[in-house]
Amino acid sequence: MERGAIVAEVRKAFGERITEVDEAALEPFVRCEASTWPDLARFLKERCGLDMLVCLSGIDRGKGVGLEAVYNLERCDASRVGIAVKIRVPYEAAVIPSVETVWRTADWHEREAWDLLGIRFEGHHNLVRILCAEDWEGHPLRKDYKSPDRYHGIKNNVV
Amino acid sequence: MSSEATSTAALAPGGADLRTEEMLLNMGPQHPATHGVLRVMVRTDGEMVLDCEPHVGYLHRCFEKHCENVTTLQAVLYTDRLDYLTAMGNNWGFCMAVEKLYGPELVIPERAQYIRVICQELNRIASHLLAIGTYGMDVGAITPFLYCFREREKILTIFEHICGQRLNYNYIRPGGVAYDVDDAMLALIGDFCSYFLPKIDEYDDLLSGNDIFVKRTANVGVLSAKLAIDYGCTGPVLRGSGVPRDLRKDKPYGIYERFEFDVPVGSGEHGTVGDCFDRYMVRVREMRESTRIVRQALKSIPGGEIRSAKIKAKIRPPKGEAFTRIENSRGDLGFYVVSDGKEVLYRVKCRAPSFHNISVLPEISRGSMLADLIAIIGSLDIVLGEVDR
Amino acid sequence: MNMDSGTLVEWVLGSDAGFWWRLAGVATAWALPITLWVSLVGLISIWLERKISAHIQCRLGPMEVGPHGALQTIADGVKLLAKEDLIPEGADRMLFALAPILAFAGTFVSFAVIPFGPDLIISDLDTGLYFLAAIGSLEAIGVIAAGWASNNKWALFGSVRAATQVVSYEIPLGLAFVTVAAVAGTLSMTEMVEQQSGMFWNWYMFRNPFMPIAFILYYIASLAECKRAPFDLPEAESELVSGFHTEYSGMRFAIFFLAEYAAMYVVSALAVVLFLGGWYTGIAPLDQALSASPLWGNVVGALVIITKSFVLIFVQMWLRWTLPRIRLDQMMHLCLKVMVPIGMFVLVLAALWQALLPYEGAVANHKPLFPAVGSIAGLAIFVLLTVGAWIWVRNTIRATTSFKSANYRI
């Protein structure tokens, strides 16, 4: 199944729930609302055979846009056909349903996105910080993040 | 009478008062076999591992945050520190993402492409040498480690001559490579290939064919293909499970489609497909394949430019988003790069293979012995610099 | 000091001096030389281990202190002496302090019955072999105590592994002992060596077709007793950090270290006495000429026994720097399911052979230049085993090389 066919299938099955499709971009993607994501994820894995979640990137798109999660999916066979799914959420309600039961990779990746960007993945069994210390405050990869002056008495020397 | 009966029961084997307890073992962050600062919480029943949970993040250096504060060219330097054993691959992976932003007009000069392949494959050999050597040490054989380092040293010396660095090369830059390689150096690399191939036989003698080593690794830590894909495992870990996925073959980047090489996969020679031995053996065979690629590249390397003129000294990648992956020695190393047309990238996300490979550890180590857990961690061959970024 | 008057210690004990004098006499005659010898063995074998491992691994090893680093061990010993003596919090302080001494004592006492020459033996017990078997496992108690007292989970793992190893290897080790005893008809060390005089095919090793197997059993079990690779499970630095001595530092650690190397010598010397002709060179005319003079017999005898022992120690080191470590369950499988049945068979068959075909070479008068049937068979089996093992290893290696990868070509 080519990428075009996958997009067509997704469009057919989800119709209006897919808010944007860009196949001409450097990284072709489909966009959907957070509420559609669990259904779409299961559809992509089971019907389209995209069995590998290659990467989950959280991006802070800045004021007025919000946070975005980019899922790079791929079929793990010789074709290596893949597509990206983008989900945008506002800062105030940065919640995306977890897909750790669909792709086990999502477990650690969602923890990382929560840790660094503060996207909350609903339904994750253990959404705790993974890279930063447990008592770290704030989410470092947000654009408005201010690094603390001190951490446990250790002075921050970064200007 | 009753008290006497109780005390007898307590002493009798299997008596009511005779019970065992689980032990919570904290392996790492400082432990000789965790290959860095990995911390694994292990729940054991005697020597049996009931469950384990890897805790990562002890080496978190905010790579992605750094990249948002330095220029694109400076960011290449930070990629060296990800998988510090295959820094050439990291450089290349990042540069490839940046180059993709420029679109198809940007053509990397032929000579640079060849140099990249040679460096990447040599670096893969160096990385696998370290993986094999330390793996021998994990199962108790110390000597192969020194043998592997003897060969690795030669590769590092070659790199030192090429770019002045032994570990953090910062050599592959957007648009090409930093310095040209002279003919004497290429001859030296050719000599290394001839020298190196017989040495692999030595490792076969010492480890691959060693009965104790086979017994220690076969049927241990069996990772099924389905589980490996579900956890996003790539590289030798996935290929060890019998899945012949190699980006150099599937989606050839650079000029890999010009070379002839095989993709070794695990076949369960001594046990089950996807056990530690298969993962180990895939690495040994990959070293042979890498040597093959280097030899082919040396034969046909052209002269000419080493950097594209299209990329200026002040790199301002065009606006856009790109996600590229290369086949690094530990698996698919991906970079998701978002540029808003400035000198500083808006966002860089690194998809680190070790991050995925180590996350499968609890699944494949349940029910094994404590000694097996060490063997399994070793066979996954993680680099914490890349897990924690 | 000859056979009539017994050994020096027996002479001291038998004298009519006062109790304290006799005690002091025994201490001087026994403890002092043995302490010196144990230290010397430790120094030499630690240096040897470093150099041998270095050369196996294409390194140089210590080169700075003394010629070819010969004095490095002394420098390290001084360093260990000067180090802070640490006892972890929550440790059982008394047991912690006692453990290295216990471990050392077991090895140290073994030297009492290990001969160095016809007359160079502290105490020629009638039950020498039995005494060794009993005292040999004392070291394990020290190791177990060390792990338990350290209040460290890794050390505890090490000590439990040591306990497991003791109950596993002691049985095949004992079976090998009994096999030798059945063939020898005695438990006395000196008498056993005397029986092996003459040409080298008189050695117990070649005495009958089953003795080479008994020797291999003994050697494997002795590797386990010394906690040498591939049986270094109680220390297993890549798994258990350092095993039972994780928490030990300074002099206490040095004592453990010394005990380990002394134990290597003990088991090797024992192998020489039990299987490899003790202080006899294995060339009958030479031995006869030497035994004419008690002095030369003893001096050369001591040299021969020490040389043979160090050859075996070298093999131990060679194995350690070549082989990976086996797993706990594999070790138990090997000891209990493979070596014990083989040991049983060897014992029964060797005893039967001894009963049906008693050794013809009357040993006492040093003339069996004509080897008995048993010796021919023993030598043949030994050669067969060696060649067989070599072919087997080669085949295993050939069967598993990376060359087997499908259509591999350069």
Side-chain angles (χ1 to χ4, degrees):
Chain A
M1 203 191 280
E2 288 299 306
R3 183 185 290 132
I6 292 174
V7 172
E9 284 265 320
V10 167
R11 271 207 164 132
K12 208 173 89 194
F14 287 86
E16 285 303 297
R17 292 166 78 192
I18 301 295
T19 52
E20 189 187 350
V21 176
D22 190 344
E23 280 191 88
L26 279 176
E27 210 52 50
F29 66 91
V30 297
R31 193 188 291 285
C32 71
E33 293 299 326
S35 54
T36 320
W37 176 228
D39 297 337
L40 180 61
R42 236 163 249 120
F43 182 85
L44 285 171
K45 185 180 181 186
E46 282 151 22
R47 300 287 294 280
C48 306
L50 299 175
D51 51 3
M52 192 185 254
L53 172 60
V54 177
C55 187
L56 194 177
S57 322
I59 300 166
D60 183 357
R61 291 289 179 184
K63 284 214 167 57
V65 189
L67 299 163
E68 190 172 88
V70 184
Y71 296 78
N72 289 89
L73 304 170
E74 190 188 73
R75 188 184 307 144
C76 194
D77 61 8
S79 72
R80 290 262 185 161
V81 63
I83 195 157
V85 177
K86 295 188 178 179
I87 299 163
R88 209 165 265 184
V89 285
Y91 288 109
E92 339 41 277
V95 182
I96 297 176
S98 168
V99 287
E100 61 154 346
T101 50
V102 186
W103 298 282
R104 304 294 297 272
T105 326
D107 179 356
W108 280 26
H109 266 291
E110 284 173 356
R111 277 174 68 186
E112 188 191 326
W114 158 249
D115 186 359
L116 300 179
L117 282 132
I119 304 174
R120 210 144 47 77
F121 290 89
E122 214 160 42
H124 191 287
H125 77 285
N126 180 30
L127 196 67
V128 292
R129 287 185 183 275
I130 186 166
L131 294 180
C132 294
E134 280 159 26
D135 57 351
W136 196 262
E137 280 171 22
H139 302 285
L141 282 185
R142 288 218 181 164
K143 291 289 173 191
D144 58 355
Y145 175 76
K146 290 267 183 297
S147 48
D149 291 337
R150 273 175 188 283
Y151 175 70
H152 285 288
I154 306 162
K155 203 164 172 288
N156 181 6
N157 289 322
V158 179
V159 186
Chain B
M1 188 65 197
S2 65
S3 70
E4 204 182 313
T6 323
S7 64
T8 326
L11 287 171
D17 285 8
L18 207 66
R19 61 200 174 80
T20 57
E21 267 177 39
E22 289 168 3
M23 190 190 262
L24 200 63
L25 204 56
N26 188 18
M27 202 170 113
Q30 277 86 34
H31 186 280
T34 53
H35 294 220
V37 282
L38 174 68
R39 174 172 163 233
V40 187
M41 292 295 290
V42 195
R43 205 153 54 79
T44 63
D45 176 9
E47 287 260 342
M48 198 73 86
V49 176
L50 297 176
D51 201 2
C52 73
E53 196 193 343
H55 288 253
V56 300
Y58 286 86
L59 206 61
H60 182 51
R61 293 142 303 164
C62 328
F63 162 73
E64 290 165 12
K65 188 76 183 165
H66 274 305
C67 288
E68 293 177 11
N69 292 301
V70 296
T71 64
T72 311
L73 196 58
Q74 286 169 332
V76 179
L77 185 100
Y78 283 99
T79 62
D80 282 331
R81 276 82 179 160
L82 291 172
D83 175 357
Y84 40 78
L85 300 175
T86 331
M88 288 287 184
N90 303 341
N91 290 170
W92 195 356
F94 179 74
C95 293
M96 219 164 77
V98 174
E99 286 157 8
K100 194 175 177 184
L101 289 173
Y102 282 88
E105 308 82 268
L106 176 71
V107 180
I108 312 296
E110 280 286 289
R111 190 174 172 80
Q113 294 274 30
Y114 274 89
I115 294 174
R116 282 180 176 188
V117 168
I118 291 170
C119 288
Q120 161 75 339
E121 292 308 316
L122 280 179
N123 210 178
R124 189 189 311 277
I125 293 171
S127 166
H128 282 350
L129 277 174
L130 192 121
I132 289 162
T134 49
Y135 193 47
M137 210 140 94
D138 283 339
V139 294
I142 301 161
T143 301
F145 178 73
L146 274 296
Y147 282 27
C148 289
F149 263 56
R150 181 185 59 192
E151 271 74 77
R152 183 169 177 264
E153 195 61 29
K154 291 201 188 298
I155 299 179
L156 297 191
T157 312
I158 289 172
F159 284 151
E160 195 180 347
H161 284 297
I162 291 178
C163 62
Q165 292 285 333
R166 288 164 55 82
L167 214 54
N168 296 319
Y169 311 111
N170 190 18
Y171 178 60
I172 297 175
R173 307 270 175 86
V177 294
Y179 317 100
D180 202 353
V181 179
D182 58 11
D183 289 342
M185 214 52 237
L186 292 176
L188 203 65
I189 295 170
D191 291 347
F192 171 78
C193 290
S194 319
Y195 159 86
F196 177 62
L197 279 171
K199 296 292 172 197
I200 304 180
D201 299 345
E202 272 184 24
Y203 313 140
D204 282 344
D205 282 0
L206 267 171
L207 282 178
S208 323
N210 188 309
D211 214 33
I212 297 177
F213 179 78
V214 171
K215 287 232 157 59
R216 276 297 307 273
T217 52
N219 284 323
V220 169
V222 177
L223 174 64
S224 70
K226 193 172 175 300
L227 199 65
I229 293 170
D230 211 12
Y231 270 91
C233 298
T234 43
V237 177
L238 181 64
R239 290 194 281 277
S241 300
V243 186
R245 290 285 72 83
D246 188 324
L247 280 172
R248 292 174 295 174
K249 274 267 190 246
D250 302 337
K251 275 184 170 179
Y253 55 93
I255 48 164
Y256 272 111
E257 71 275 4
R258 297 182 199 174
F259 302 114
E260 194 185 313
F261 63 97
D262 295 320
V263 178
V265 289
S267 54
E269 271 160 88
H270 288 283
T272 325
V273 177
D275 57 12
C276 290
F277 185 83
D278 279 348
R279 289 193 279 276
Y280 158 82
M281 211 52 182
V282 162
R283 293 198 180 92
V284 178
R285 287 178 179 145
E286 267 181 21
M287 294 201 300
R288 292 192 191 273
E289 299 301 331
S290 291
T291 319
R292 226 168 119 189
I293 297 174
V294 172
R295 280 189 159 173
Q296 291 172 43
L298 285 176
K299 240 179 250 164
S300 48
I301 181 168
E305 287 297 306
I306 52 153
R307 234 175 302 176
S308 163
K310 199 165 182 302
I311 292 189
K312 302 283 180 295
K314 245 188 176 169
I315 300 177
R316 281 209 182 83
K319 218 169 163 193
E321 294 177 22
F323 179 67
T324 57
R325 282 178 297 155
I326 66 156
E327 185 69 36
N328 214 9
S329 51
R330 275 163 193 79
D332 298 3
L333 174 75
F335 281 95
Y336 196 102
V337 177
V338 182
S339 167
D340 53 0
K342 297 202 186 89
E343 218 180 332
V344 179
L345 290 168
Y346 185 78
R347 169 86 167 98
V348 176
K349 155 84 189 180
C350 170
R351 185 253 186 228
S354 295
F355 186 72
H356 297 246
N357 292 352
I358 191 64
S359 68
V360 83
L361 178 68
E363 291 280 347
I364 58 175
S365 59
R366 257 176 227 130
S368 57
M369 308 276 287
L370 194 65
D372 290 337
L373 180 66
I374 311 292
I376 294 170
I377 295 176
S379 77
L380 293 174
D381 184 28
I382 48 160
V383 167
L384 267 299
E386 158 179 273
V387 175
D388 298 342
R389 276 158 287 153
Chain C
M1 202 166 70
N2 52 38
M3 288 305 280
D4 299 327
S5 63
T7 62
L8 188 58
V9 173
E10 279 157 28
W11 179 76
V12 171
L13 285 173
S15 73
D16 39 341
F19 172 77
W20 292 107
W21 280 112
R22 275 184 288 159
L23 190 70
V26 169
T28 333
W30 174 18
L32 200 66
I34 287 302
T35 313
L36 286 176
W37 176 240
V38 169
S39 319
L40 197 63
V41 163
L43 283 181
I44 294 171
S45 39
I46 291 171
W47 177 74
L48 269 180
E49 175 109 278
R50 286 177 157 180
K51 292 309 263 191
I52 289 169
S53 71
H55 288 294
I56 284 177
Q57 298 173 340
C58 322
R59 300 185 280 123
L60 287 175
M63 291 296 282
E64 295 299 317
V65 189
H68 281 263
L71 303 176
Q72 182 67 48
T73 322
I74 295 173
D76 286 347
V78 171
K79 180 203 74 177
L80 285 173
L81 263 174
K83 268 182 125 176
E84 188 187 354
D85 176 32
L86 283 172
I87 298 182
E89 214 174 72
D92 186 331
R93 295 183 78 90
M94 205 186 85
L95 208 54
F96 189 83
L98 201 62
I101 298 164
L102 259 177
F104 186 69
T107 318
F108 187 76
V109 173
S110 310
F111 277 87
V113 291
I114 301 269
F116 289 92
D119 305 314
L120 291 175
I121 182 165
I122 307 292
S123 176
D124 184 15
L125 289 178
D126 290 340
T127 53
L129 190 56
Y130 182 70
F131 176 78
L132 262 177
I135 217 78
S137 39
L138 200 68
E139 196 202 346
I141 296 176
V143 168
I144 295 165
W148 178 257
S150 295
N151 188 30
N152 177 319
K153 285 174 185 171
W154 299 108
L156 184 63
F157 263 111
S159 66
V160 172
R161 281 182 176 194
T164 320
Q165 201 159 308
V166 171
V167 293
S168 303
Y169 74 74
E170 283 277 298
I171 305 167
L173 194 70
L175 283 171
F177 282 166
V178 176
T179 312
V180 174
V183 170
T186 174
L187 291 172
S188 155
M189 295 294 196
T190 45
E191 209 170 307
M192 276 194 269
V193 177
E194 284 305 328
Q195 285 188 18
Q196 300 180 64
S197 64
M199 293 305 282
F200 62 87
W201 50 74
N202 281 339
W203 294 353
Y204 286 149
M205 171 93 160
F206 309 118
R207 188 56 74 81
N208 67 43
F210 312 108
M211 291 310 277
I213 307 172
F215 172 71
I216 292 166
L217 284 184
Y218 170 80
Y219 200 78
I220 295 175
S222 75
L223 284 178
E225 169 157 3
C226 298
K227 303 185 283 295
R228 298 289 294 184
F231 298 97
D232 55 346
L233 298 152
E235 332 190 352
E237 71 276 5
S238 66
E239 292 160 23
L240 305 182
V241 188
S242 225
F244 64 92
H245 59 62
T246 304
E247 295 288 357
Y248 280 86
S249 64
M251 213 46 213
R252 291 185 213 277
F253 168 73
I255 291 174
F256 268 125
F257 210 53
L258 199 60
E260 190 187 319
Y261 282 89
M264 276 167 69
Y265 178 79
V266 167
V267 295
S268 300
L270 193 58
V272 171
V273 170
L274 294 186
F275 294 96
L276 299 173
W279 54 75
Y280 287 114
T281 55
I283 303 158
L286 185 63
D287 284 332
Q288 262 165 310
L290 284 169
S291 56
S293 138
L295 178 69
W296 281 110
N298 277 314
V299 169
V300 176
L303 281 178
V304 167
I305 210 166
I306 289 167
T307 313
K308 284 179 184 172
S309 304
F310 270 99
V311 169
L312 289 182
I313 289 179
F314 167 72
V315 177
Q316 284 189 341
M317 292 173 178
W318 188 9
L319 288 175
R320 169 166 178 189
W321 298 103
T322 309
L323 294 179
R325 183 186 313 115
I326 69 173
R327 216 166 50 202
L328 190 67
D329 56 326
Q330 289 165 346
M331 185 271 294
M332 288 197 280
H333 175 91
L334 177 70
C335 283
L336 295 173
K337 288 188 182 167
V338 179
M339 281 162 68
V340 169
I342 293 177
M344 293 276 191
F345 276 116
V346 165
L347 169 62
V348 171
L349 293 172
L352 271 179
W353 185 285
Q354 187 68 18
L356 299 176
L357 293 164
Y359 196 63
E360 294 158 31
V363 189
N365 46 6
H366 298 297
K367 61 174 183 186
L369 279 170
F370 305 101
V373 192
S375 289
I376 297 172
L379 276 169
I381 292 283
F382 177 70
V383 172
L384 213 70
L385 280 176
T386 318
V387 174
W390 188 72
I391 292 172
W392 180 62
V393 166
R394 277 314 309 171
N395 284 348
T396 335
I397 289 172
R398 290 232 178 89
T400 327
T401 57
S402 49
F403 272 121
K404 255 176 77 183
S405 90
N407 57 27
Y408 169 75
R409 56 196 180 278
I410 283 287

